[in-house]
Amino acid sequence: MAGAIASRMSFSSLKRKQPKTFTVRIVTMDAEMEFNCEMKWKGKDLFDLVCRTLGLRETWFFGLQYTIKDTVAWLKMDKKVLDHDVSKEEPVTFHFLAKFYPENAEEELVQEITQHLFFLQVKKQILDEKIYCPPEASVLLASYAVQAKASEKLSAGGRGLGLVGWGKPLSLSQILCNLVRILVRSLSV
């Protein structure tokens, strides 16, 4: 009996159908990742995959941005990825960026990865002169960035920058939080 059924079914029909996929490149402020996405995926499916890969839980600040014909747009979560006006050339490129800024960075940006991504994005926007940062805030930001680099080297077992008399060094999380707070304040001025 089983032989009769098997003879009627071809080998290819026994194989599971593999979903059709396309390649997506996600660019963050400090990394690039590539994923194979199913054709039926909506923006939320891709966004959730990126957030899980980054270990990001504070997702509501971020989005996936794409450029088409010199126009910047955000991926809609409820629309299929390929239904957007994105390039059909693979890999389809999206930028993972902060879409919204918190009112109070110290209270709202809890996760270190969230603080890190905000810091890198706002720092780049200041350096590219897309946002204005007052000179006093720039000096303070630079001093925090130096301390962050020193703390990073110390936590990696290095000698740090040899800064003596500064008291107990701030954790990287505290430094990033201070940086983001100052940057967000300078944005609202």
Side-chain angles (χ1 to χ4, degrees), residues 147 150 154 159 161-170:
Q147 189 171 4
L154 284 171
R159 290 186 38 181
L161 298 178
L163 303 171
V164 180
W166 277 27
K168 183 180 177 194
L170 296 174

Side-chain angles (χ1 to χ4, degrees), residues 18 23 28 35 75 85 88 97 112 116 128 149 152 167 187:
Q18 294 297 320
T23 306
T28 68
F35 299 103
L75 190 70
D85 194 17
K88 303 305 179 210
L97 296 169
E112 194 168 313
H116 180 71
D128 292 348
K149 202 62 161 170
E152 201 175 89
L187 290 174

